[in-house]
Amino acid sequence: HLREARALTLMPRISEYCMGDAVVRESGQARVRDVLGAIVGSGDGILAAAVADIGGRVLVSTLISSEGVDAARRGYFRNAALGNESISDLFRVRQVVGDMLAVAYAVPVRDPQGAVRCVVTVAARADSFGAVLRSRDDFGGEGSFVVLVDQFGLRTGHSEREEYMLR
């Protein structure tokens, strides 16, 4: 899904929107939402797509309720605002599409001089993560299971107990 986020940054409607002033952004918001919506509607597990300014404010999103939200505290967003492609840690989505794992891909939108003007983020289902863990059940012998922890020692995955994912 990083490829889709990269592709969005190159689309004329999105780059014009990001390079534009307040008037251009106001008039182009619906067109940008249509472009983002086409990616979300692709049926490829993409849950949402958004464009945010480099300060972190979500300007346009396929989830209108997230417009205006401040994404600046998210590490993957901060990394993209600095000019780097970035992928989030797994996170659990509960409010919009039920209870599932997701991952976000963030890519900077640059002006012709290379300065970052916006960040495009694509959030996608992370179902395959659990499948990989489950495929390792009994790998260490009958009755064994896999527990995956993050850099802080927090459990992010469990091969036998779905309710332990990200707990």
Side-chain angles (χ1 to χ4, degrees), residues 61-98:
S61 176
T62 55
L63 300 173
I64 294 175
S65 62
S66 70
E67 291 179 3
V69 168
D70 183 4
R73 64 179 175 79
R74 298 181 177 122
Y76 69 88
F77 177 86
R78 287 192 311 271
N79 195 29
L82 290 172
N84 306 300
E85 292 181 347
S86 189
I87 301 172
S88 74
D89 291 333
L90 292 174
F91 57 93
R92 191 171 290 283
V93 177
R94 290 190 178 107
Q95 302 164 339
V96 180
V97 290

PDB file of all heavy atoms in Angstrom, residues 61-98:
ATOM      1  N   SER A  61      -9.977  14.081   3.749  1.00  0.00           N
ATOM      2  CA  SER A  61      -9.942  12.665   4.063  1.00  0.00           C
ATOM      3  C   SER A  61     -11.168  11.969   3.506  1.00  0.00           C
ATOM      4  O   SER A  61     -12.218  12.591   3.345  1.00  0.00           O
ATOM      5  CB  SER A  61      -9.893  12.468   5.579  1.00  0.00           C
ATOM      6  OG  SER A  61      -9.957  11.095   5.907  1.00  0.00           O
ATOM      7  N   THR A  62     -11.022  10.695   3.251  1.00  0.00           N
ATOM      8  CA  THR A  62     -12.196   9.918   2.866  1.00  0.00           C
ATOM      9  C   THR A  62     -13.103   9.702   4.065  1.00  0.00           C
ATOM     10  O   THR A  62     -14.265   9.350   3.901  1.00  0.00           O
ATOM     11  CB  THR A  62     -11.779   8.560   2.264  1.00  0.00           C
ATOM     12  OG1 THR A  62     -10.944   7.875   3.201  1.00  0.00           O
ATOM     13  CG2 THR A  62     -11.045   8.757   0.951  1.00  0.00           C
ATOM     14  N   LEU A  63     -12.570   9.894   5.252  1.00  0.00           N
ATOM     15  CA  LEU A  63     -13.374   9.873   6.478  1.00  0.00           C
ATOM     16  C   LEU A  63     -13.543  11.317   6.914  1.00  0.00           C
ATOM     17  O   LEU A  63     -12.690  11.878   7.605  1.00  0.00           O
ATOM     18  CB  LEU A  63     -12.671   9.067   7.573  1.00  0.00           C
ATOM     19  CG  LEU A  63     -12.374   7.610   7.258  1.00  0.00           C
ATOM     20  CD1 LEU A  63     -11.535   6.990   8.352  1.00  0.00           C
ATOM     21  CD2 LEU A  63     -13.661   6.842   7.041  1.00  0.00           C
ATOM     22  N   ILE A  64     -14.614  11.930   6.491  1.00  0.00           N
ATOM     23  CA  ILE A  64     -14.809  13.363   6.726  1.00  0.00           C
ATOM     24  C   ILE A  64     -14.684  13.709   8.204  1.00  0.00           C
ATOM     25  O   ILE A  64     -14.181  14.770   8.560  1.00  0.00           O
ATOM     26  CB  ILE A  64     -16.149  13.830   6.123  1.00  0.00           C
ATOM     27  CG1 ILE A  64     -16.073  13.686   4.600  1.00  0.00           C
ATOM     28  CG2 ILE A  64     -16.464  15.261   6.516  1.00  0.00           C
ATOM     29  CD1 ILE A  64     -17.349  13.992   3.869  1.00  0.00           C
ATOM     30  N   SER A  65     -15.061  12.783   9.077  1.00  0.00           N
ATOM     31  CA  SER A  65     -14.953  13.059  10.519  1.00  0.00           C
ATOM     32  C   SER A  65     -13.502  13.247  10.967  1.00  0.00           C
ATOM     33  O   SER A  65     -13.254  13.813  12.030  1.00  0.00           O
ATOM     34  CB  SER A  65     -15.595  11.930  11.322  1.00  0.00           C
ATOM     35  OG  SER A  65     -14.911  10.709  11.088  1.00  0.00           O
ATOM     36  N   SER A  66     -12.545  12.800  10.177  1.00  0.00           N
ATOM     37  CA  SER A  66     -11.144  12.976  10.576  1.00  0.00           C
ATOM     38  C   SER A  66     -10.548  14.290  10.067  1.00  0.00           C
ATOM     39  O   SER A  66      -9.436  14.654  10.442  1.00  0.00           O
ATOM     40  CB  SER A  66     -10.289  11.793  10.112  1.00  0.00           C
ATOM     41  OG  SER A  66     -10.158  11.804   8.713  1.00  0.00           O
ATOM     42  N   GLU A  67     -11.279  15.020   9.229  1.00  0.00           N
ATOM     43  CA  GLU A  67     -10.789  16.310   8.759  1.00  0.00           C
ATOM     44  C   GLU A  67     -10.690  17.271   9.940  1.00  0.00           C
ATOM     45  O   GLU A  67     -11.578  17.341  10.768  1.00  0.00           O
ATOM     46  CB  GLU A  67     -11.668  16.860   7.649  1.00  0.00           C
ATOM     47  CG  GLU A  67     -11.529  16.033   6.384  1.00  0.00           C
ATOM     48  CD  GLU A  67     -12.394  16.500   5.232  1.00  0.00           C
ATOM     49  OE1 GLU A  67     -13.108  17.520   5.352  1.00  0.00           O
ATOM     50  OE2 GLU A  67     -12.361  15.818   4.182  1.00  0.00           O
ATOM     51  N   GLY A  68      -9.567  17.950  10.031  1.00  0.00           N
ATOM     52  CA  GLY A  68      -9.305  18.846  11.141  1.00  0.00           C
ATOM     53  C   GLY A  68      -8.562  18.197  12.296  1.00  0.00           C
ATOM     54  O   GLY A  68      -8.055  18.879  13.175  1.00  0.00           O
ATOM     55  N   VAL A  69      -8.480  16.870  12.288  1.00  0.00           N
ATOM     56  CA  VAL A  69      -7.770  16.149  13.340  1.00  0.00           C
ATOM     57  C   VAL A  69      -6.276  16.465  13.239  1.00  0.00           C
ATOM     58  O   VAL A  69      -5.735  16.639  12.151  1.00  0.00           O
ATOM     59  CB  VAL A  69      -8.021  14.629  13.211  1.00  0.00           C
ATOM     60  CG1 VAL A  69      -7.091  13.821  14.092  1.00  0.00           C
ATOM     61  CG2 VAL A  69      -9.474  14.316  13.525  1.00  0.00           C
ATOM     62  N   ASP A  70      -5.607  16.508  14.376  1.00  0.00           N
ATOM     63  CA  ASP A  70      -4.169  16.773  14.414  1.00  0.00           C
ATOM     64  C   ASP A  70      -3.404  15.449  14.439  1.00  0.00           C
ATOM     65  O   ASP A  70      -3.482  14.703  15.410  1.00  0.00           O
ATOM     66  CB  ASP A  70      -3.833  17.601  15.657  1.00  0.00           C
ATOM     67  CG  ASP A  70      -2.371  17.983  15.735  1.00  0.00           C
ATOM     68  OD1 ASP A  70      -1.603  17.684  14.796  1.00  0.00           O
ATOM     69  OD2 ASP A  70      -1.990  18.592  16.743  1.00  0.00           O
ATOM     70  N   ALA A  71      -2.665  15.168  13.372  1.00  0.00           N
ATOM     71  CA  ALA A  71      -1.887  13.933  13.262  1.00  0.00           C
ATOM     72  C   ALA A  71      -0.433  14.125  13.661  1.00  0.00           C
ATOM     73  O   ALA A  71       0.352  13.187  13.600  1.00  0.00           O
ATOM     74  CB  ALA A  71      -1.965  13.410  11.824  1.00  0.00           C
ATOM     75  N   ALA A  72      -0.067  15.322  14.095  1.00  0.00           N
ATOM     76  CA  ALA A  72       1.337  15.645  14.346  1.00  0.00           C
ATOM     77  C   ALA A  72       1.977  14.797  15.443  1.00  0.00           C
ATOM     78  O   ALA A  72       3.182  14.604  15.434  1.00  0.00           O
ATOM     79  CB  ALA A  72       1.475  17.127  14.696  1.00  0.00           C
ATOM     80  N   ARG A  73       1.217  14.268  16.355  1.00  0.00           N
ATOM     81  CA  ARG A  73       1.796  13.483  17.442  1.00  0.00           C
ATOM     82  C   ARG A  73       2.181  12.075  17.000  1.00  0.00           C
ATOM     83  O   ARG A  73       2.908  11.371  17.702  1.00  0.00           O
ATOM     84  CB  ARG A  73       0.836  13.405  18.624  1.00  0.00           C
ATOM     85  CG  ARG A  73      -0.440  12.670  18.306  1.00  0.00           C
ATOM     86  CD  ARG A  73      -1.373  12.573  19.520  1.00  0.00           C
ATOM     87  NE  ARG A  73      -2.628  11.977  19.156  1.00  0.00           N
ATOM     88  CZ  ARG A  73      -2.835  10.682  18.990  1.00  0.00           C
ATOM     89  NH1 ARG A  73      -1.862   9.835  19.173  1.00  0.00           N
ATOM     90  NH2 ARG A  73      -4.020  10.219  18.650  1.00  0.00           N
ATOM     91  N   ARG A  74       1.730  11.652  15.846  1.00  0.00           N
ATOM     92  CA  ARG A  74       2.010  10.301  15.365  1.00  0.00           C
ATOM     93  C   ARG A  74       3.401  10.257  14.728  1.00  0.00           C
ATOM     94  O   ARG A  74       3.714  11.019  13.828  1.00  0.00           O
ATOM     95  CB  ARG A  74       0.942   9.868  14.378  1.00  0.00           C
ATOM     96  CG  ARG A  74      -0.421   9.818  15.050  1.00  0.00           C
ATOM     97  CD  ARG A  74      -1.510   9.375  14.110  1.00  0.00           C
ATOM     98  NE  ARG A  74      -2.755   9.280  14.825  1.00  0.00           N
ATOM     99  CZ  ARG A  74      -3.845   9.954  14.492  1.00  0.00           C
ATOM    100  NH1 ARG A  74      -3.841  10.761  13.448  1.00  0.00           N
ATOM    101  NH2 ARG A  74      -4.942   9.810  15.191  1.00  0.00           N
ATOM    102  N   GLY A  75       4.221   9.343  15.185  1.00  0.00           N
ATOM    103  CA  GLY A  75       5.601   9.249  14.725  1.00  0.00           C
ATOM    104  C   GLY A  75       5.735   9.068  13.225  1.00  0.00           C
ATOM    105  O   GLY A  75       6.587   9.689  12.582  1.00  0.00           O
ATOM    106  N   TYR A  76       4.887   8.216  12.644  1.00  0.00           N
ATOM    107  CA  TYR A  76       4.980   7.996  11.202  1.00  0.00           C
ATOM    108  C   TYR A  76       4.662   9.280  10.441  1.00  0.00           C
ATOM    109  O   TYR A  76       5.258   9.555   9.400  1.00  0.00           O
ATOM    110  CB  TYR A  76       4.087   6.836  10.745  1.00  0.00           C
ATOM    111  CG  TYR A  76       2.601   7.104  10.843  1.00  0.00           C
ATOM    112  CD1 TYR A  76       1.909   7.696   9.800  1.00  0.00           C
ATOM    113  CD2 TYR A  76       1.892   6.752  11.984  1.00  0.00           C
ATOM    114  CE1 TYR A  76       0.553   7.941   9.891  1.00  0.00           C
ATOM    115  CE2 TYR A  76       0.543   6.991  12.088  1.00  0.00           C
ATOM    116  CZ  TYR A  76      -0.123   7.584  11.035  1.00  0.00           C
ATOM    117  OH  TYR A  76      -1.471   7.828  11.125  1.00  0.00           O
ATOM    118  N   PHE A  77       3.734  10.089  10.969  1.00  0.00           N
ATOM    119  CA  PHE A  77       3.407  11.352  10.306  1.00  0.00           C
ATOM    120  C   PHE A  77       4.586  12.327  10.416  1.00  0.00           C
ATOM    121  O   PHE A  77       4.978  12.961   9.437  1.00  0.00           O
ATOM    122  CB  PHE A  77       2.141  12.001  10.881  1.00  0.00           C
ATOM    123  CG  PHE A  77       1.886  13.320  10.230  1.00  0.00           C
ATOM    124  CD1 PHE A  77       1.178  13.379   9.048  1.00  0.00           C
ATOM    125  CD2 PHE A  77       2.431  14.496  10.739  1.00  0.00           C
ATOM    126  CE1 PHE A  77       1.006  14.593   8.389  1.00  0.00           C
ATOM    127  CE2 PHE A  77       2.263  15.698  10.100  1.00  0.00           C
ATOM    128  CZ  PHE A  77       1.546  15.748   8.924  1.00  0.00           C
ATOM    129  N   ARG A  78       5.122  12.458  11.611  1.00  0.00           N
ATOM    130  CA  ARG A  78       6.260  13.374  11.803  1.00  0.00           C
ATOM    131  C   ARG A  78       7.416  13.013  10.877  1.00  0.00           C
ATOM    132  O   ARG A  78       8.054  13.895  10.302  1.00  0.00           O
ATOM    133  CB  ARG A  78       6.728  13.361  13.267  1.00  0.00           C
ATOM    134  CG  ARG A  78       5.769  14.068  14.207  1.00  0.00           C
ATOM    135  CD  ARG A  78       6.385  14.306  15.582  1.00  0.00           C
ATOM    136  NE  ARG A  78       7.018  13.136  16.168  1.00  0.00           N
ATOM    137  CZ  ARG A  78       6.394  12.230  16.928  1.00  0.00           C
ATOM    138  NH1 ARG A  78       5.113  12.381  17.201  1.00  0.00           N
ATOM    139  NH2 ARG A  78       7.050  11.209  17.424  1.00  0.00           N
ATOM    140  N   ASN A  79       7.672  11.733  10.734  1.00  0.00           N
ATOM    141  CA  ASN A  79       8.745  11.282   9.854  1.00  0.00           C
ATOM    142  C   ASN A  79       8.465  11.682   8.399  1.00  0.00           C
ATOM    143  O   ASN A  79       9.356  12.148   7.687  1.00  0.00           O
ATOM    144  CB  ASN A  79       8.919   9.767   9.983  1.00  0.00           C
ATOM    145  CG  ASN A  79      10.206   9.275   9.391  1.00  0.00           C
ATOM    146  OD1 ASN A  79      11.205   9.982   9.339  1.00  0.00           O
ATOM    147  ND2 ASN A  79      10.183   8.049   8.929  1.00  0.00           N
ATOM    148  N   ALA A  80       7.227  11.525   7.953  1.00  0.00           N
ATOM    149  CA  ALA A  80       6.870  11.908   6.581  1.00  0.00           C
ATOM    150  C   ALA A  80       6.946  13.427   6.399  1.00  0.00           C
ATOM    151  O   ALA A  80       7.387  13.911   5.357  1.00  0.00           O
ATOM    152  CB  ALA A  80       5.475  11.392   6.231  1.00  0.00           C
ATOM    153  N   ALA A  81       6.536  14.190   7.409  1.00  0.00           N
ATOM    154  CA  ALA A  81       6.597  15.651   7.315  1.00  0.00           C
ATOM    155  C   ALA A  81       8.039  16.143   7.206  1.00  0.00           C
ATOM    156  O   ALA A  81       8.293  17.224   6.670  1.00  0.00           O
ATOM    157  CB  ALA A  81       5.905  16.294   8.518  1.00  0.00           C
ATOM    158  N   LEU A  82       8.977  15.325   7.675  1.00  0.00           N
ATOM    159  CA  LEU A  82      10.394  15.652   7.546  1.00  0.00           C
ATOM    160  C   LEU A  82      10.963  15.246   6.183  1.00  0.00           C
ATOM    161  O   LEU A  82      12.128  15.506   5.894  1.00  0.00           O
ATOM    162  CB  LEU A  82      11.199  14.970   8.657  1.00  0.00           C
ATOM    163  CG  LEU A  82      10.972  15.515  10.055  1.00  0.00           C
ATOM    164  CD1 LEU A  82      11.679  14.637  11.089  1.00  0.00           C
ATOM    165  CD2 LEU A  82      11.446  16.965  10.151  1.00  0.00           C
ATOM    166  N   GLY A  83      10.110  14.579   5.370  1.00  0.00           N
ATOM    167  CA  GLY A  83      10.533  14.234   4.012  1.00  0.00           C
ATOM    168  C   GLY A  83      10.793  12.769   3.758  1.00  0.00           C
ATOM    169  O   GLY A  83      11.279  12.400   2.683  1.00  0.00           O
ATOM    170  N   ASN A  84      10.448  11.920   4.698  1.00  0.00           N
ATOM    171  CA  ASN A  84      10.710  10.482   4.563  1.00  0.00           C
ATOM    172  C   ASN A  84       9.418   9.700   4.407  1.00  0.00           C
ATOM    173  O   ASN A  84       8.441   9.991   5.084  1.00  0.00           O
ATOM    174  CB  ASN A  84      11.437   9.963   5.806  1.00  0.00           C
ATOM    175  CG  ASN A  84      12.676  10.751   6.104  1.00  0.00           C
ATOM    176  OD1 ASN A  84      13.579  10.816   5.289  1.00  0.00           O
ATOM    177  ND2 ASN A  84      12.716  11.377   7.273  1.00  0.00           N
ATOM    178  N   GLU A  85       9.443   8.686   3.560  1.00  0.00           N
ATOM    179  CA  GLU A  85       8.308   7.765   3.532  1.00  0.00           C
ATOM    180  C   GLU A  85       8.294   7.044   4.869  1.00  0.00           C
ATOM    181  O   GLU A  85       9.345   6.747   5.433  1.00  0.00           O
ATOM    182  CB  GLU A  85       8.466   6.762   2.400  1.00  0.00           C
ATOM    183  CG  GLU A  85       8.360   7.397   1.040  1.00  0.00           C
ATOM    184  CD  GLU A  85       8.493   6.390  -0.083  1.00  0.00           C
ATOM    185  OE1 GLU A  85       8.900   5.236   0.156  1.00  0.00           O
ATOM    186  OE2 GLU A  85       8.189   6.776  -1.222  1.00  0.00           O
ATOM    187  N   SER A  86       7.100   6.739   5.375  1.00  0.00           N
ATOM    188  CA  SER A  86       7.017   6.187   6.714  1.00  0.00           C
ATOM    189  C   SER A  86       5.857   5.209   6.821  1.00  0.00           C
ATOM    190  O   SER A  86       4.824   5.384   6.167  1.00  0.00           O
ATOM    191  CB  SER A  86       6.842   7.334   7.711  1.00  0.00           C
ATOM    192  OG  SER A  86       6.959   6.884   9.021  1.00  0.00           O
ATOM    193  N   ILE A  87       6.040   4.205   7.658  1.00  0.00           N
ATOM    194  CA  ILE A  87       5.001   3.210   7.903  1.00  0.00           C
ATOM    195  C   ILE A  87       4.771   3.148   9.409  1.00  0.00           C
ATOM    196  O   ILE A  87       5.715   3.063  10.186  1.00  0.00           O
ATOM    197  CB  ILE A  87       5.409   1.826   7.370  1.00  0.00           C
ATOM    198  CG1 ILE A  87       5.692   1.907   5.861  1.00  0.00           C
ATOM    199  CG2 ILE A  87       4.334   0.786   7.666  1.00  0.00           C
ATOM    200  CD1 ILE A  87       6.284   0.647   5.276  1.00  0.00           C
ATOM    201  N   SER A  88       3.511   3.186   9.802  1.00  0.00           N
ATOM    202  CA  SER A  88       3.178   3.167  11.227  1.00  0.00           C
ATOM    203  C   SER A  88       3.379   1.785  11.824  1.00  0.00           C
ATOM    204  O   SER A  88       3.533   0.792  11.109  1.00  0.00           O
ATOM    205  CB  SER A  88       1.710   3.564  11.423  1.00  0.00           C
ATOM    206  OG  SER A  88       0.853   2.501  11.024  1.00  0.00           O
ATOM    207  N   ASP A  89       3.340   1.735  13.143  1.00  0.00           N
ATOM    208  CA  ASP A  89       3.184   0.468  13.832  1.00  0.00           C
ATOM    209  C   ASP A  89       1.753   0.007  13.582  1.00  0.00           C
ATOM    210  O   ASP A  89       0.902   0.788  13.144  1.00  0.00           O
ATOM    211  CB  ASP A  89       3.398   0.645  15.334  1.00  0.00           C
ATOM    212  CG  ASP A  89       4.852   0.958  15.677  1.00  0.00           C
ATOM    213  OD1 ASP A  89       5.754   0.561  14.911  1.00  0.00           O
ATOM    214  OD2 ASP A  89       5.080   1.609  16.715  1.00  0.00           O
ATOM    215  N   LEU A  90       1.476  -1.248  13.885  1.00  0.00           N
ATOM    216  CA  LEU A  90       0.099  -1.727  13.794  1.00  0.00           C
ATOM    217  C   LEU A  90      -0.755  -0.984  14.808  1.00  0.00           C
ATOM    218  O   LEU A  90      -0.298  -0.645  15.899  1.00  0.00           O
ATOM    219  CB  LEU A  90       0.027  -3.217  14.094  1.00  0.00           C
ATOM    220  CG  LEU A  90       0.660  -4.144  13.069  1.00  0.00           C
ATOM    221  CD1 LEU A  90       0.638  -5.568  13.593  1.00  0.00           C
ATOM    222  CD2 LEU A  90      -0.056  -4.056  11.748  1.00  0.00           C
ATOM    223  N   PHE A  91      -1.996  -0.735  14.436  1.00  0.00           N
ATOM    224  CA  PHE A  91      -2.935  -0.145  15.381  1.00  0.00           C
ATOM    225  C   PHE A  91      -4.298  -0.778  15.171  1.00  0.00           C
ATOM    226  O   PHE A  91      -4.577  -1.366  14.138  1.00  0.00           O
ATOM    227  CB  PHE A  91      -2.995   1.381  15.260  1.00  0.00           C
ATOM    228  CG  PHE A  91      -3.360   1.905  13.896  1.00  0.00           C
ATOM    229  CD1 PHE A  91      -4.681   2.186  13.572  1.00  0.00           C
ATOM    230  CD2 PHE A  91      -2.376   2.144  12.944  1.00  0.00           C
ATOM    231  CE1 PHE A  91      -5.017   2.696  12.325  1.00  0.00           C
ATOM    232  CE2 PHE A  91      -2.702   2.645  11.694  1.00  0.00           C
ATOM    233  CZ  PHE A  91      -4.027   2.921  11.388  1.00  0.00           C
ATOM    234  N   ARG A  92      -5.104  -0.689  16.192  1.00  0.00           N
ATOM    235  CA  ARG A  92      -6.445  -1.287  16.143  1.00  0.00           C
ATOM    236  C   ARG A  92      -7.450  -0.206  15.764  1.00  0.00           C
ATOM    237  O   ARG A  92      -7.457   0.874  16.330  1.00  0.00           O
ATOM    238  CB  ARG A  92      -6.797  -1.888  17.496  1.00  0.00           C
ATOM    239  CG  ARG A  92      -8.037  -2.742  17.481  1.00  0.00           C
ATOM    240  CD  ARG A  92      -8.228  -3.475  18.782  1.00  0.00           C
ATOM    241  NE  ARG A  92      -7.272  -4.532  19.011  1.00  0.00           N
ATOM    242  CZ  ARG A  92      -7.304  -5.728  18.426  1.00  0.00           C
ATOM    243  NH1 ARG A  92      -8.234  -6.014  17.565  1.00  0.00           N
ATOM    244  NH2 ARG A  92      -6.400  -6.643  18.722  1.00  0.00           N
ATOM    245  N   VAL A  93      -8.292  -0.548  14.787  1.00  0.00           N
ATOM    246  CA  VAL A  93      -9.352   0.355  14.335  1.00  0.00           C
ATOM    247  C   VAL A  93     -10.661  -0.161  14.900  1.00  0.00           C
ATOM    248  O   VAL A  93     -11.023  -1.310  14.689  1.00  0.00           O
ATOM    249  CB  VAL A  93      -9.429   0.392  12.782  1.00  0.00           C
ATOM    250  CG1 VAL A  93     -10.568   1.273  12.325  1.00  0.00           C
ATOM    251  CG2 VAL A  93      -8.116   0.849  12.197  1.00  0.00           C
ATOM    252  N   ARG A  94     -11.356   0.690  15.630  1.00  0.00           N
ATOM    253  CA  ARG A  94     -12.623   0.275  16.230  1.00  0.00           C
ATOM    254  C   ARG A  94     -13.796   1.133  15.788  1.00  0.00           C
ATOM    255  O   ARG A  94     -14.886   0.646  15.633  1.00  0.00           O
ATOM    256  CB  ARG A  94     -12.519   0.344  17.748  1.00  0.00           C
ATOM    257  CG  ARG A  94     -11.635  -0.702  18.329  1.00  0.00           C
ATOM    258  CD  ARG A  94     -11.762  -0.729  19.850  1.00  0.00           C
ATOM    259  NE  ARG A  94     -10.939  -1.782  20.387  1.00  0.00           N
ATOM    260  CZ  ARG A  94      -9.820  -1.594  21.038  1.00  0.00           C
ATOM    261  NH1 ARG A  94      -9.401  -0.370  21.272  1.00  0.00           N
ATOM    262  NH2 ARG A  94      -9.120  -2.605  21.477  1.00  0.00           N
ATOM    263  N   GLN A  95     -13.572   2.413  15.599  1.00  0.00           N
ATOM    264  CA  GLN A  95     -14.675   3.342  15.430  1.00  0.00           C
ATOM    265  C   GLN A  95     -15.371   3.245  14.084  1.00  0.00           C
ATOM    266  O   GLN A  95     -16.575   3.325  14.003  1.00  0.00           O
ATOM    267  CB  GLN A  95     -14.173   4.770  15.620  1.00  0.00           C
ATOM    268  CG  GLN A  95     -13.547   4.983  16.974  1.00  0.00           C
ATOM    269  CD  GLN A  95     -12.729   6.245  17.024  1.00  0.00           C
ATOM    270  OE1 GLN A  95     -12.312   6.769  16.005  1.00  0.00           O
ATOM    271  NE2 GLN A  95     -12.496   6.738  18.208  1.00  0.00           N
ATOM    272  N   VAL A  96     -14.614   3.082  13.023  1.00  0.00           N
ATOM    273  CA  VAL A  96     -15.187   3.250  11.687  1.00  0.00           C
ATOM    274  C   VAL A  96     -15.590   1.937  11.040  1.00  0.00           C
ATOM    275  O   VAL A  96     -16.667   1.817  10.494  1.00  0.00           O
ATOM    276  CB  VAL A  96     -14.171   3.987  10.779  1.00  0.00           C
ATOM    277  CG1 VAL A  96     -14.714   4.179   9.388  1.00  0.00           C
ATOM    278  CG2 VAL A  96     -13.796   5.312  11.400  1.00  0.00           C
ATOM    279  N   VAL A  97     -14.737   0.944  11.087  1.00  0.00           N
ATOM    280  CA  VAL A  97     -14.965  -0.264  10.314  1.00  0.00           C
ATOM    281  C   VAL A  97     -15.005  -1.524  11.172  1.00  0.00           C
ATOM    282  O   VAL A  97     -14.779  -2.611  10.679  1.00  0.00           O
ATOM    283  CB  VAL A  97     -13.890  -0.405   9.217  1.00  0.00           C
ATOM    284  CG1 VAL A  97     -14.078   0.622   8.146  1.00  0.00           C
ATOM    285  CG2 VAL A  97     -12.503  -0.300   9.810  1.00  0.00           C
ATOM    286  N   GLY A  98     -15.264  -1.386  12.428  1.00  0.00           N
ATOM    287  CA  GLY A  98     -15.251  -2.537  13.308  1.00  0.00           C
ATOM    288  C   GLY A  98     -13.882  -2.705  13.931  1.00  0.00           C
ATOM    289  O   GLY A  98     -13.024  -1.853  13.829  1.00  0.00           O
TER     290      GLY A  98
END
